[in-house]
Amino acid sequence: MRLVSDIYNENIEPSLGGITKPLIPHYITVENLTPWGAKDSSSSTTNNNLGNRPRPADYSHLQSAEGPRHDASPFPCDEQINHRFVIWQGDISLLAVDAITNTTDETLTEKNRISKKIFGRAGAALTSAVVHDVGRCKTGEVCVTPGFFLPAKYIIHTVGPIYSEKYRSASESTLHSCYRNVLYKAKELGLRTVALCDISSVQRNFPPDTAAHIALRTIRRFLEQYRAEIVIACLEPNERGIYEVLAPLYFPRDPLEERSALWQLPKDIGGAYGEPQLADRQIRIIHNPQHAVMIEGKD
């Protein structure tokens, strides 16, 4: 039988002086990444001329019975915020930031593409910490461990929901809780640079575009209130592409992107923290003749 530590610590050097240390590749700092406000949206690695990026459609000239979905921009262009937000494709375990995020299950031992990289590079001490010190984490909540041999100081573990169309509202609210709890745990710890993985992994069946909307608006609301640098770390080009297509809605880089977002943003733009807004429960007041008779009888 293979132990959890055996599963997560493959490709690790032999123990040196009683300490098992992973192979150390080249680490990446936030300073090496290109902020959203200064990048060509068609590239995640180069700093190209802003004039080369695809221009959004301008819907302001259209004569529509409905008009734009929003009268004023709920996410106005803010250069300062855009320079503290990064969309990057690569291995999150290589980022030298204050904290990275690990998406996992309630036992903290889920083996997915992200967790394998994190546990493999952090070393056996991380496996010991989650098994013996942390134990479990509820869906939507977070727990924190040191980064051990990672360049990141901390790992914030969170348990994403399994998506169900039948319980769509609950799934979306729980995913928002994951992102929000990660970010506010970082704030509680006084951290300034945080890398977020795709918490709604393929294993959880979450629609990628819906998940990206939730992540982006939650990050935007957080950055409006707290001075931090947030990196969305994507594993695949298609994942990065979804974020780069939707990011101008929440992080417009110029007035044209801001105007276009009025037409393209969903009606539900979330609450003060980016949380999904559920329709208020409608309570119907029904005339009850029997009740009226009873009242009349008492008079």
Side-chain angles (χ1 to χ4, degrees):
M1 178 182 294
R2 300 181 70 195
L3 301 176
V4 173
S5 57
D6 296 327
I7 295 173
Y8 283 121
N9 291 298
E10 296 170 343
N11 301 321
I12 291 178
E13 291 180 339
S15 178
L16 300 175
I19 300 176
T20 303
K21 187 172 183 178
L23 295 169
I24 301 177
H26 176 66
Y27 293 145
I28 302 166
T29 65
V30 174
E31 289 73 20
N32 297 134
L33 306 179
T34 308
W36 173 252
K39 72 184 288 186
D40 182 333
S41 61
S42 65
S43 170
S44 65
T45 57
T46 58
N47 194 356
N48 296 327
N49 190 320
L50 290 177
N52 293 333
R53 71 180 181 228
R55 305 305 295 163
D58 185 358
Y59 299 96
S60 59
H61 66 284
L62 296 179
Q63 299 297 321
S64 170
E66 294 185 2
R69 291 174 179 168
H70 304 276
D71 295 329
S73 176
F75 305 100
C77 180
D78 189 316
E79 184 177 346
Q80 189 262 347
I81 288 178
N82 290 345
H83 276 77
R84 293 188 282 115
F85 173 63
V86 176
I87 299 174
W88 174 75
Q89 181 186 331
D91 182 352
I92 195 171
S93 70
L94 298 179
L95 289 174
V97 292
D98 290 335
I100 64 171
T101 308
N102 175 43
T103 179
T104 184
D105 60 11
E106 293 194 351
T107 67
L108 302 176
T109 59
E110 179 180 277
K111 188 178 180 183
N112 57 56
R113 292 187 302 166
I114 296 171
S115 64
K116 284 177 65 178
K117 292 178 183 295
I118 292 174
F119 276 79
R121 290 202 170 95
L126 175 57
T127 302
S128 177
V130 299
V131 172
H132 301 295
D133 299 334
V134 180
R136 297 186 68 85
C137 181
K138 294 181 180 179
T139 301
E141 297 184 0
V142 301
C143 60
V144 182
T145 63
F148 297 104
F149 287 117
L150 293 179
K153 297 177 184 177
Y154 296 96
I155 306 167
I156 304 178
H157 308 262
T158 189
V159 182
I162 297 175
Y163 182 83
S164 168
E165 185 62 34
K166 182 178 180 180
Y167 302 107
R168 177 177 178 177
S169 296
S171 299
E172 293 180 2
S173 294
T174 305
L175 181 60
H176 160 76
S177 294
C178 290
Y179 283 106
R180 179 180 173 183
N181 287 337
V182 166
L183 294 172
Y184 280 88
K185 175 57 70 173
K187 179 181 179 181
E188 178 185 321
L189 295 172
L191 309 182
R192 293 295 182 182
T193 54
V194 181
L196 297 168
C197 66
D198 182 11
I199 296 172
S200 59
S201 65
V202 176
Q203 293 175 228
R204 291 177 171 79
N205 200 38
F206 226 101
D209 55 339
T210 300
H213 276 290
I214 293 170
L216 288 166
R217 71 183 184 223
T218 304
I219 294 168
R220 167 67 192 233
R221 292 309 187 202
F222 177 78
L223 289 176
E224 290 173 349
Q225 303 174 41
Y226 183 57
R227 189 170 183 81
E229 294 178 88
I230 306 299
V231 178
I232 291 182
C234 305
L235 276 178
E236 302 292 343
N238 60 337
E239 181 185 339
R240 185 197 76 212
I242 291 172
Y243 278 103
E244 291 190 334
V245 166
L246 296 179
L249 305 182
Y250 301 93
F251 298 87
R253 294 163 291 188
D254 55 47
L256 180 54
E257 285 188 342
E258 184 176 320
R259 287 198 305 272
S260 297
L262 299 179
W263 300 77
Q264 296 175 297
L265 277 167
K267 290 184 178 180
D268 179 9
I269 55 168
Y273 298 97
E275 69 277 14
Q277 295 291 282
L278 304 179
D280 293 336
R281 296 180 63 184
Q282 300 297 319
I283 302 176
R284 291 192 303 160
I285 300 176
I286 304 174
H287 176 64
N288 188 332
Q290 182 179 1
H291 182 61
V293 170
M294 291 173 63
I295 293 176
E296 291 173 358
K298 289 183 179 181
D299 289 339

